Amino acid sequence: MIPRAHPAKPRSHDRGPPSKEDTQTDFAALNVLGNIPAPTTAVDACLDSGFHLDNGVKITGGDGVLLVGGEAFAWKPWAGKEGGRDTMVNKKGQFEVDEQVWGILGLVWPRPEPLLAPRPSSDHSSIRNAEEEDALLTGERTNRTPQRRGWSFWKEVGLFAWALIATAAVIVLAVVYQHESNQAGENSWGPSEKPTGKRNLIFMVSDGMGPTSLTMTRGFKQLTQGLAADDILVLDNHIIGTSRTRSSSSLVTDSAAGATAFSCGFKSYNGAISVLPDHSPCGTVLEAAALAGYKTGLVVTTRITDATPACFASHVNLRQYEDRIAEQEIGEHPLGRVVDLILGGGRCHFLPNTTSGSCRGDDRDLVAIAKEKGFSYIDDRAGFNALNNGKEAQLPLLGLLAEKDIPFEIDRRTQDDVYPSLEEMARTALKILSEATADSDKGFFLMIEGSRIDHAGHGNDPAAQVREVLAYDKAFAAVLEFLEQDSTPGVLVGTSDHETGGLAAARQLSSNYPQYLWLPGVLANASHSAEYAGRKLNAYLSSEPSASAQRQFARELLETALGVTDATESEVDALIDRKVAGGPAYVFADIISRRAQIGWSTHGHSSVDVNIYASSVKDAWRLQGNHENTEVGNFLADYLGLDIEAVTKRLQESAYWSFTDKSSVAAESPEKFSWLGDPLGEDVRTEGLDTYHGEFKKRSTVPGVEGQDCGCGRTH
């Protein structure tokens, strides 16, 4: 084609001075098609070598363009004729082409899909491409030599197969997820909703376990089991929030007030067992569950009459009334029997004081009374084993497996033939309650407590505490396993009533700037608790051996029980000194704590916030974040759909005692008032915080109850 000359572009858009004539025609107003967008395939420019379209497509190389119905085609009609372009012009100077050339079109708009785009037959041959084009024009076959399929072909096949499999997998997972979501939806609940359907609730209490207890135990486990630094406890994976622990009478709660917050959903004073600050009883989640048709259970490693289990199934004004608590737990209660399963220690509170091993203040035989009420009874390892992991149990069940507390785990493991572990008791209880509710439209409520974490904190014994936390972690894992395998939906919620000991995973041993470390290996060397070593030493000292024999025995006990071989003379002196506060158990605990560089600020409780755990955030969403401990109790009741207020009203209106007419009832029928224990003195603070009185030491007894018989074999 002959290039044509283009006129020079104007140097500016200025076309001269504007006209001043009033009759000038407005040509823009005559452009009736001005607002109609140009077709995307309209020709924007005609060049000597091709065309530019409005959509940005360029046709170059001298090709023609054919615009048909919104599509643009590059056209080379001369490609199929001998002589090329010259043969297309007839004698009259007109284009004249055969009909077949109308098929020689190359689509340029809309843009072809990548998989449909024309590709060369070979990555390296432009000749092959020309041959194929000629074959299309002439209809003759190309002389193609068969080639082996290369890596690129099989790569594409593999990618296609992978995409197909991945798509199928996504579809299957989506179907499974939808199915599971539909099933979960039947029992899940959200804001402004209530859970529905049959369900189980397991509430676990790690008595006295604060956040540092987990830190210390995690480090101990990593060292002793050769684990990586990022290995964590089962509990660590299930932390969803924290709980504030103060009681109605103090910023530092005790276990009784803490457990009352869980069981009743109300704050009360330190020492209160499910009674309010005005000494009226409050209904508990366990009682409400029993009245609603749920099976109920309590599993602990301390006395079953201790504060935490007591708060779920009894009501007394002071936690020391353990004899009365025992009576209520077997059904001597305004509501009758509300507990179906009891596993723990505290047998001494159920035996008459005429019997060896009793700690009752009277001669009542609660074991015999419980049997009369229909309880099956076990009191040793053989009886527990006979339950056959829960398959051979009969409810109601009273299992008192220790005279007082079940030994610390560090000591129990050498007496496994005598005492079951917390994990074993938890698994057995879950099996029993699950089978007992198999044909019911109601599930069960079970409270499981790692009780002696608290006792190790009171004793400032880090070697005992890490083993207690590990035992609790195993029990927690066992409950999770049960929930995963059981056909009935359920949720596990766990927390602590408080922290004990003011534990710190570091200790400054001198006035020099401290080292940044603590030594879990020291705890690993201990084979027994400080409590165990203290009892052994006290028993030996009671025989009044010589001074040298006392010192020798103390050193041997340090080595065999605690793994300490470098005791100082002053430490040995403290061990055999009968006047040391807390006795030798406290001294043993301090010896090992100092060497491990573990710090303690108190033998009592602290006010630190404690963790909240759950098996499923979806079910326990209300407990995410920081909460009052009473909110944990409210959640328990709401999850099971219980009416705690109705139970409270029933308790307060019962024939045992009516708080609304306390004075007249007490005067006419003193025995009706006694089921709660005597009321505390007027000078006992049950609400509001105490203030500083300018003295560092306070009495350890409770004002208003000194010298009174609490029904637990001793006075206060």
Side-chain angles (χ1 to χ4, degrees):
M1 297 182 67
I2 302 174
R4 54 192 176 92
H6 295 283
K9 294 182 179 180
R11 296 182 178 180
S12 72
H13 294 285
D14 186 7
R15 297 291 189 262
S19 174
K20 297 181 180 180
E21 297 180 6
D22 296 335
T23 60
Q24 184 175 0
T25 302
D26 185 0
F27 291 101
L30 299 177
N31 185 13
V32 295
L33 300 178
N35 294 327
I36 299 176
T40 57
T41 55
V43 175
D44 181 55
C46 296
L47 306 179
D48 52 2
S49 61
F51 304 89
H52 288 189
L53 305 184
D54 279 349
N55 55 25
V57 173
K58 297 180 181 180
I59 300 172
T60 59
D63 292 355
V65 62
L66 187 65
L67 307 178
V68 181
E71 295 181 313
F73 300 88
W75 189 36
K76 293 190 289 185
W78 55 84
K81 297 181 69 67
E82 295 182 3
R85 294 183 178 89
D86 296 338
T87 61
M88 293 175 54
V89 182
N90 61 19
K91 295 179 180 180
K92 297 180 181 181
Q94 300 170 329
F95 279 109
E96 185 175 321
V97 295
D98 298 330
E99 291 183 0
Q100 63 265 28
V101 302
W102 293 102
I104 309 175
L105 302 173
L107 180 65
V108 295
W109 186 267
R111 298 184 186 277
E113 293 294 329
L115 292 177
L116 302 177
R119 295 177 297 173
S121 60
S122 168
D123 294 337
H124 309 288
S125 175
S126 59
I127 297 175
R128 176 70 65 186
N129 189 54
E131 290 177 354
E132 291 181 352
E133 187 174 291
D134 290 341
L136 290 173
L137 296 174
T138 63
E140 297 179 1
R141 298 174 61 87
T142 60
N143 184 23
R144 173 176 291 184
T145 303
Q147 295 182 351
R148 296 180 60 186
R149 301 188 187 276
W151 162 247
S152 60
F153 171 80
W154 293 112
K155 180 180 179 181
E156 290 185 12
V157 172
L159 289 173
F160 176 77
W162 177 88
L164 186 63
I165 294 172
T167 302
V170 169
I171 293 173
V172 171
L173 290 174
V175 172
V176 172
Y177 175 79
Q178 184 66 30
H179 175 70
E180 294 295 329
S181 297
N182 290 339
Q183 281 194 330
E186 297 176 1
N187 293 283
S188 61
W189 57 313
S192 303
E193 297 178 352
K194 293 288 186 181
T196 58
K198 181 180 179 180
R199 54 202 180 277
N200 300 323
L201 174 59
I202 300 98
F203 179 51
M204 295 189 69
V205 180
S206 45
D207 197 324
M209 186 177 77
T212 309
S213 297
L214 265 70
T215 302
M216 182 172 68
T217 304
R218 191 185 309 117
F220 173 82
K221 179 185 177 184
Q222 290 169 357
L223 175 76
T224 56
Q225 299 183 21
L227 303 174
D230 60 353
D231 187 88
I232 58 177
L233 303 174
V234 175
L235 288 163
D236 290 320
N237 282 315
H238 293 273
I239 299 173
I240 65 168
T242 55
S243 169
R244 305 186 293 274
T245 62
R246 64 157 292 175
S247 69
S248 69
S249 62
S250 176
L251 288 174
V252 181
T253 189
D254 81 324
S255 293
T260 296
F262 300 148
S263 64
C264 293
F266 289 101
K267 296 280 188 182
S268 195
Y269 58 91
N270 286 357
I273 300 295
S274 291
V275 297
L276 301 176
D278 61 6
H279 304 306
S280 64
C282 54
T284 75
V285 61
L286 183 144
E287 292 168 340
L291 295 178
Y294 290 87
K295 293 296 183 183
T296 62
L298 299 171
V299 174
V300 300
T301 53
T302 186
R303 305 174 311 284
I304 198 64
T305 53
D306 200 16
T308 301
C311 281
F312 286 88
S314 65
H315 307 267
V316 292
N317 287 323
L318 198 62
R319 61 180 294 177
Q320 283 88 343
Y321 293 120
E322 294 193 39
D323 287 1
R324 290 184 172 88
I325 291 169
E327 294 163 2
Q328 294 182 39
E329 287 177 338
I330 63 169
E332 294 187 352
H333 186 287
L335 304 177
R337 179 180 59 80
V338 293
V339 190
D340 297 297
L341 178 147
I342 294 174
L343 291 176
R347 187 168 57 244
C348 67
H349 288 287
F350 292 78
L351 300 177
N353 60 7
T354 56
T355 304
S356 175
S358 171
C359 58
R360 282 191 67 84
D362 58 34
D363 61 356
R364 298 196 70 200
D365 187 348
L366 296 192
V367 171
I369 295 173
K371 290 179 179 179
E372 292 174 1
K373 292 178 177 291
F375 277 92
S376 56
Y377 175 67
I378 59 173
D379 62 358
D380 57 17
R381 176 57 126 158
F384 179 81
N385 291 344
L387 298 176
N388 192 18
N389 298 317
K391 300 174 185 176
E392 305 293 336
Q394 180 181 348
L395 295 180
L397 171 64
L398 176 63
L400 303 175
L401 303 172
E403 181 179 306
K404 294 181 180 177
D405 301 325
I406 293 176
F408 282 121
E409 179 64 19
I410 192 174
D411 304 320
R412 188 209 65 82
R413 59 186 181 172
T414 62
Q415 306 172 72
D416 188 61
D417 59 333
V418 181
Y419 305 101
S421 68
L422 179 62
E423 178 190 1
E424 289 178 282
M425 291 192 291
R427 289 185 181 276
T428 298
L430 290 167
K431 181 66 174 178
I432 293 172
L433 294 175
S434 178
E435 292 199 353
T437 57
D439 299 324
S440 171
D441 61 348
K442 299 287 186 180
F444 62 80
F445 170 77
L446 175 63
M447 193 284 292
I448 302 173
E449 183 188 35
S451 317
R452 304 217 64 196
I453 301 171
D454 173 65
H455 293 185
H458 281 296
N460 290 179
D461 186 348
Q465 186 167 96
V466 292
R467 271 81 169 196
E468 288 300 305
V469 174
L470 285 175
Y472 180 80
D473 196 57
K474 289 180 180 179
F476 193 94
V479 176
L480 292 176
E481 180 183 316
F482 168 82
L483 289 173
E484 290 176 0
Q485 297 176 355
D486 193 60
S487 59
T488 301
V491 65
L492 159 62
V493 172
T495 189
S496 303
D497 46 1
H498 53 76
E499 191 273 348
T500 303
L503 174 64
R507 183 165 182 165
Q508 184 167 345
L509 298 175
S510 70
S511 59
N512 296 327
Y513 193 78
Q515 295 175 292
Y516 293 163
L517 55 80
W518 77 274
L519 306 171
V522 175
L523 310 186
N525 292 335
S527 58
H528 285 286
S529 67
E531 178 185 85
Y532 170 91
R535 282 200 307 267
K536 288 288 187 181
L537 183 57
N538 277 333
Y540 181 78
L541 295 178
S542 65
S543 64
E544 299 185 357
S546 65
S548 60
Q550 293 179 28
R551 302 182 72 82
Q552 179 63 26
F553 186 85
R555 286 189 176 277
E556 291 176 355
L557 196 55
L558 276 168
E559 182 173 355
T560 57
L562 302 185
V564 174
T565 59
D566 60 348
T568 65
E569 290 299 317
S570 61
E571 288 174 330
V572 175
D573 289 341
L575 283 172
I576 62 177
D577 185 353
R578 302 292 187 91
K579 298 179 181 180
V580 171
Y586 276 17
V587 180
F588 278 120
D590 185 60
I591 288 173
I592 193 170
S593 292
R594 292 175 66 85
R595 282 159 177 76
Q597 293 192 210
I598 289 294
W600 305 88
S601 63
T602 178
H603 282 287
H605 300 171
S606 76
S607 63
V608 68
D609 289 359
V610 294
N611 293 334
I612 299 174
Y613 311 87
S615 56
S616 166
V617 176
K618 179 183 66 177
D619 290 318
W621 57 269
R622 274 176 43 184
L623 296 178
Q624 294 183 91
N626 184 260
H627 299 272
E628 283 293 340
N629 52 8
T630 52
E631 295 179 71
V632 176
N634 293 333
F635 171 85
L636 301 179
D638 289 346
Y639 180 77
L640 293 182
L642 304 175
D643 189 350
I644 301 292
E645 185 176 349
V647 179
T648 299
K649 183 178 181 181
R650 183 170 169 180
L651 285 169
Q652 295 185 4
E653 293 178 349
S654 71
Y656 277 72
W657 174 56
S658 174
F659 177 73
T660 57
D661 192 19
K662 179 175 66 174
S663 58
S664 62
V665 172
E668 296 174 7
S669 305
E671 70 280 359
K672 294 180 180 179
F673 187 76
S674 63
W675 73 283
L676 287 174
D678 293 338
L680 303 184
E682 295 295 332
D683 57 340
V684 177
R685 182 181 297 275
T686 61
E687 288 188 282
L689 301 179
D690 204 347
T691 58
Y692 180 63
H693 300 290
E695 56 184 359
F696 291 104
K697 295 182 179 180
K698 295 288 188 74
R699 292 176 297 172
S700 60
T701 55
V702 179
V705 296
E706 292 91 345
Q708 294 187 21
D709 183 0
C710 69
C712 61
R714 58 196 179 103
T715 59
H716 296 269

